[in-house]
Amino acid sequence: MTKPGTSEWYSSVLNALEEFVIVKGERSRLLWANRSFCDYYGMDNATLASLVDAEHSDPDDTLKYVRDDHEVWTSGKPLTVIEAVTRHDGEVRYYETTKRAVRENGETVLSVGISRPATDEDAEASASERTERKLSTDALRSFVTAFPGAVVVVDVNHDVVAASRDFVALLDVEPDIRGRDLKALVPMGEGAMQAVLEAASGGSELTLEDVAVGASRHFDIRVAPWHLSGGQALGTMIRFSEVTELRASERRLLAERKALRSIIDVMNVGVVTLDEEGDIGIWNE
């Protein structure tokens, strides 16, 4: 018999439970699950480690897991939800899951979820909500993909939910970037990226002007929460409006103005410049 109190002993106890027991780290990364969950997913812990979810799972369900995990991780408060969970063979069942934060010195270091089959009534209500959520998310993906501009939607972990063709072209990457980390995708300064990520995590609005992206392009960036029709926030929409040529024109205009002022300052006659509205711009006395 395994010695009580050892990690092997605790694992054997948790593996004996019919309920799912799932341990996650930061950004919803799976760290460990008991045998019931592994059997349901058709995976072992070595395969699960560091994944957010299995490939057979519905991406829209994963999006909800991530949002709920984020709420528990940041607040430190327990949360009980009804979740749709897809088995390795594609069958979807509904579970009542209670998620709790494990905290050390006031900081969340792990989260633990325990899931048991939901009641028929709860499962029916959750299935209806799931259908509405999927329709809304599908509509959003279609809208964003065809949007005439560089737009991307990310979840609370900053992973891509949907992106426009212009955004994909801007980055010169493969068309399907769902699940990719925004920070790893977009080559922009650390300060600007951190501001965008903080706004996305906090569900707040943000506008940044003249942000350098890559070696030579500049963009105004608009960050705004994405809500379902019921008002529930599931992620953040980020729009990149290119201002490279505009900023270059402004810099050329300022340089020309400075050069003109230098010439005027050494002239021995009175000179006045007027703009299109007749206002005085540069003069010498």
Side-chain angles (χ1 to χ4, degrees):
M1 177 179 174
T2 304
K3 183 179 180 180
T6 62
S7 59
E8 292 81 5
W9 183 82
Y10 283 115
S11 293
S12 66
V13 171
L14 295 174
N15 282 329
L17 298 177
E18 293 184 359
E19 292 87 350
F20 298 160
V21 180
I22 307 157
V23 181
K24 295 184 178 183
E26 193 172 10
R27 299 185 65 192
S28 296
R29 301 295 175 183
L30 288 160
L31 299 179
W32 186 89
N34 70 341
R35 183 176 293 116
S36 293
F37 181 82
C38 288
D39 289 347
Y40 188 85
Y41 258 39
M43 303 170 75
D44 57 24
N45 271 296
T47 309
L48 283 172
S50 297
L51 293 178
V52 171
D53 206 355
E55 290 186 2
H56 68 257
S57 294
D58 188 305
D60 296 336
D61 293 334
T62 304
L63 184 62
K64 184 177 183 301
Y65 304 159
V66 167
R67 187 206 67 203
D68 293 338
D69 293 343
H70 179 76
E71 180 179 337
V72 172
W73 191 278
T74 55
S75 71
K77 298 178 181 179
L79 177 68
T80 298
V81 292
I82 306 299
E83 297 180 325
V85 186
T86 302
R87 201 167 69 173
H88 62 84
D89 60 1
E91 180 183 354
V92 177
R93 298 179 183 177
Y94 290 85
Y95 287 81
E96 179 185 287
T97 301
T98 298
K99 303 184 179 190
R100 296 180 180 274
V102 177
R103 296 170 72 85
E104 294 180 0
N105 301 318
E107 298 291 333
T108 301
V109 294
L110 297 170
S111 68
V112 179
I114 300 177
S115 304
R116 56 185 56 84
T119 65
D120 291 343
E121 182 179 359
D122 285 343
E124 184 178 350
S126 182
S128 178
E129 293 174 1
R130 180 175 184 254
T131 299
E132 180 183 353
R133 187 171 61 249
K134 284 181 65 63
L135 288 173
S136 178
T137 306
D138 288 346
L140 174 85
R141 287 196 177 105
S142 297
F143 168 75
V144 170
T145 299
F147 191 88
V151 173
V152 61
V153 175
V154 299
D155 62 22
V156 292
N157 280 342
H158 320 136
D159 294 331
V160 174
V161 175
S164 68
R165 297 184 183 95
D166 286 347
F167 181 80
V168 172
L170 162 66
L171 300 177
D172 191 25
V173 294
E174 68 276 8
D176 188 4
I177 57 173
R178 283 185 300 175
R180 297 277 299 275
D181 181 6
L182 181 71
K183 185 175 182 179
L185 277 174
V186 183
M188 54 192 279
E190 184 67 27
M193 176 59 76
Q194 188 62 33
V196 169
L197 297 184
E198 288 178 358
S201 295
S204 57
E205 296 187 2
L206 174 71
T207 298
L208 298 175
E209 296 183 349
D210 198 16
V211 176
V213 177
S216 59
R217 303 177 72 177
H218 291 253
F219 293 81
D220 288 347
I221 299 175
R222 171 69 174 163
V223 181
W226 157 48
H227 294 88
L228 293 178
S229 57
Q232 185 181 53
L234 280 186
T236 300
M237 183 175 290
I238 306 168
R239 182 174 182 179
F240 292 74
S241 301
E242 186 157 12
V243 294
T244 305
E245 288 301 319
L246 175 61
R247 296 296 180 257
S249 296
E250 290 176 349
R251 286 191 291 270
R252 285 194 298 268
L253 181 59
L254 287 174
E256 291 169 1
R257 183 182 177 89
K258 184 177 180 180
L260 179 59
R261 183 59 192 253
S262 298
I263 295 171
I264 291 174
D265 285 343
V266 299
M267 295 178 69
N268 293 322
V269 295
V271 178
V272 175
T273 65
L274 302 177
D275 61 21
E276 293 180 354
E277 297 180 355
D279 294 328
I280 295 175
I282 302 174
W283 69 92
N284 71 329
E285 298 178 355

